[in-house]
């Protein structure tokens, strides 16, 4: 049977990395946007994977189930051409669902090396990564692997209620609030070329990163936010990390450390959709904790953000700049 005759479960039945299949939105094998479930990285542009870790949280756990929730929430996005793009990103962009990173949750000191190895394997193929947390700690080993692959320091574009630069000089700590302190100290990221959007928690020292706090975004608007991001990052290789608690709890209740006063989903989507000029080398969406979610609000928001990231990658591939 040819791919275009497949009805249902394209995730495990489609042969080509390209194109979409006909699915009942409410049923079937739940890969992200129905992409092929495979570990074969030949010819892959973007590998989606999950890192189901939530041992690094400071408040409510549950983000280990984030990857499953985002996959389940992506079904509607696989039915129609994504809005407002108006194209099927998979006509041009080869995207797979690589499944989840395996690590030994009962042997905490092995977790960071396991995530680094997971990322190294994917990046060595030439594919880019779109990763679902898990809590935000996962971005630290992902940054280590991306800096190895793309050269350090990278720029960081970081959406969050929290700066995640609180001091932490313990080399083996699992902490979802200190990764970017370590990333600056270790030269993985250049703070002068990095931007944090949506911050609304205090730190005495933001480690030199450029902070566009949530009040700044509300006062100055989304267009000014996009302009500041582009001005600061320019054409530097940039890793984009989206902690879903950047969104206000009204728009993302399903997360471990919600903080009032955040961005709307509409604000965040407009920002993401206008990042096409950036030289994006890696992406993640983290901190979705479905046990605190209502009506999948948070997971659906995360799936849309991830879909828009893939649409940016599709445009880059078509333009020859991926
Ligand atoms: Mn965070
Ligand atoms: Mn956060």
């Amino acid at each position: 049977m040819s791919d275009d005759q497949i009805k249902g479960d394209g995730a495990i039945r489609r042969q080509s990395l390209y194109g979409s299949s006909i699915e009942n939105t409410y049923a079937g094998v739940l890969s992200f946007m129905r992409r092929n479930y495979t570990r074969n990285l030949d010819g892959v542009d973007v590998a989606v994977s999950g890192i189901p870790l939530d041992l690094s949280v400071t408040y409510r756990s549950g983000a280990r189930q984030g990857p499953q929730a985002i996959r389940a929430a992506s079904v509607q996005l696989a039915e129609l051409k994504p809005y407002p793009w108006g194209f099927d990103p998979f006509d041009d962009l080869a995207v797979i669902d690589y499944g989840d990173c395996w690590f030994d949750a009962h042997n905490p000191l092995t977790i960071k090396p396991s995530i680094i190895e997971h990322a190294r394997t994917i990046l060595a193929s030439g594919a880019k990564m779109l990763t679902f947390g898990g809590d935000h700690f996962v971005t630290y080993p992902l940054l280590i692997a991306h800096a190895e692959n793309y050269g350090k320091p990278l720029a960081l574009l970081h959406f969050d209620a929290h700066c995640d630069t609180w001091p932490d000089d313990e080399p083996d700590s699992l902490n979802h609030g200190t990764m970017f302190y370590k990333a600056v100290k270790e030269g993985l990221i250049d703070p002068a070329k990095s931007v944090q959007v949506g911050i609304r928690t205090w730190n005495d020292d933001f480690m030199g990163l450029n902070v566009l706090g949530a009040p700044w975004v509300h006062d100055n608007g989304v267009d000014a936010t996009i302009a500041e991001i582009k001005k600061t990052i320019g054409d530097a290789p940039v890793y984009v990390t989206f902690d879903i608690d950047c969104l206000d709890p009204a728009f993302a209740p399903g997360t471990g450390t919600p903080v009032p006063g955040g961005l709307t989903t509409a604000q965040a989507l407009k920002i993401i959709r206008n990042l096409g000029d950036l030289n994006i080398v890696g992406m993640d969406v983290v901190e979705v904790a479905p046990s605190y979610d209502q009506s999948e609000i948070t997971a659906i928001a995360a799936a849309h953000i991830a879909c828009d990231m893939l649409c940016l990658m599709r445009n880059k591939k078509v333009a020859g700049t991926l």
Side-chain angles (χ1 to χ4, degrees), residues 130-185:
L130 168 59
T131 309
F132 300 144
D135 67 53
H136 211 165
F137 177 82
V138 304
T139 304
Y140 177 43
L142 288 169
L143 273 177
I144 291 171
H146 279 77
E148 279 177 8
N149 195 67
Y150 291 101
K152 63 181 182 179
L154 297 168
L156 182 73
L157 176 55
H158 171 205
F159 296 86
D160 208 321
H162 311 89
C163 59
D164 296 346
T165 50
W166 284 284
D168 176 4
D169 294 307
E170 292 292 333
D172 294 325
S173 63
L174 291 175
N175 190 325
H176 77 155
T178 65
M179 307 81 62
F180 305 130
Y181 173 91
K182 292 183 175 184
V184 172
K185 286 247 167 172

Side-chain angles (χ1 to χ4, degrees), residues 2-319:
S2 67
D3 277 2
D4 57 7
Q5 294 173 304
I6 290 174
K7 292 187 171 70
D9 287 340
I12 55 172
R13 297 173 68 205
R14 199 186 307 108
Q15 299 299 308
S16 172
L17 296 177
Y18 293 95
S20 297
S21 42
I22 295 167
E23 307 277 351
N24 286 324
T25 50
Y26 52 84
V29 175
L30 294 172
S31 64
F32 183 67
M33 292 186 75
R34 310 287 189 178
R35 301 324 298 156
N36 299 23
Y37 258 127
T38 179
R39 296 237 157 168
N40 183 348
L41 291 159
D42 293 344
V44 171
D45 295 313
V46 180
V48 176
S49 70
I51 306 182
L53 173 75
D54 62 7
L55 298 172
S56 322
V57 299
T58 49
Y59 186 36
R60 309 191 299 205
S61 58
R64 66 176 60 188
Q65 288 163 314
Q68 289 176 338
I70 297 170
R71 287 186 177 104
S74 74
V75 287
Q76 294 181 91
L77 289 162
E79 184 185 22
L80 301 170
K81 293 173 183 172
Y83 183 88
W85 307 91
F87 52 68
D88 180 346
F90 309 121
D91 285 344
D92 299 291
L93 191 72
V95 181
I96 61 161
D97 192 325
Y98 190 81
D100 286 347
C101 171
W102 191 89
F103 54 82
D104 184 351
H106 307 288
N107 196 352
L109 291 181
T110 66
I111 293 173
K112 187 174 93 177
S114 294
I115 298 171
I116 293 172
E117 228 18 74
H118 169 80
R120 277 181 183 146
T121 301
I122 294 171
L123 294 174
S125 75
K128 286 195 163 64
M129 296 184 74
L130 168 59
T131 309
F132 300 144
D135 67 53
H136 211 165
F137 177 82
V138 304
T139 304
Y140 177 43
L142 288 169
L143 273 177
I144 291 171
H146 279 77
E148 279 177 8
N149 195 67
Y150 291 101
K152 63 181 182 179
L154 297 168
L156 182 73
L157 176 55
H158 171 205
F159 296 86
D160 208 321
H162 311 89
C163 59
D164 296 346
T165 50
W166 284 284
D168 176 4
D169 294 307
E170 292 292 333
D172 294 325
S173 63
L174 291 175
N175 190 325
H176 77 155
T178 65
M179 307 81 62
F180 305 130
Y181 173 91
K182 292 183 175 184
V184 172
K185 286 247 167 172
E186 294 167 19
L188 301 175
I189 59 171
D190 178 357
K193 289 191 172 171
S194 298
V195 183
Q196 298 182 304
V197 181
I199 308 301
R200 51 194 186 277
T201 45
W202 191 254
N203 190 346
D204 288 333
D205 181 358
F206 287 93
M207 298 295 288
L209 283 84
N210 300 280
V211 177
L212 302 178
W216 192 95
V217 176
H218 293 310
D219 290 348
N220 293 276
V222 166
D223 291 337
T225 304
I226 295 164
E228 279 298 309
I229 290 169
K230 289 184 178 180
K231 188 177 82 180
T232 304
I233 296 174
D235 58 3
V238 58
Y239 187 93
V240 181
T241 181
F242 201 106
D243 182 330
I244 204 68
D245 70 28
C246 176
L247 303 181
D248 190 86
F251 300 93
T255 194
T257 41
V259 184
L263 273 61
T264 68
T265 310
Q267 286 175 312
L269 289 173
K270 184 173 180 188
I271 296 171
I272 295 289
R273 288 168 182 167
N274 281 279
L275 299 179
D277 294 341
L278 298 183
N279 178 15
I280 297 170
V281 298
M283 303 150 283
D284 65 46
V285 182
V286 300
E287 296 282 356
V288 173
S291 54
Y292 295 101
D293 210 358
Q294 305 289 332
S295 304
E296 294 185 279
I297 298 172
T298 314
I300 289 170
H304 276 72
I305 289 163
C307 173
D308 279 348
M309 289 174 169
L310 288 181
C311 289
L312 293 176
M313 295 297 110
R314 177 270 185 194
N315 278 352
K316 285 184 173 298
K317 181 157 186 208
V318 169

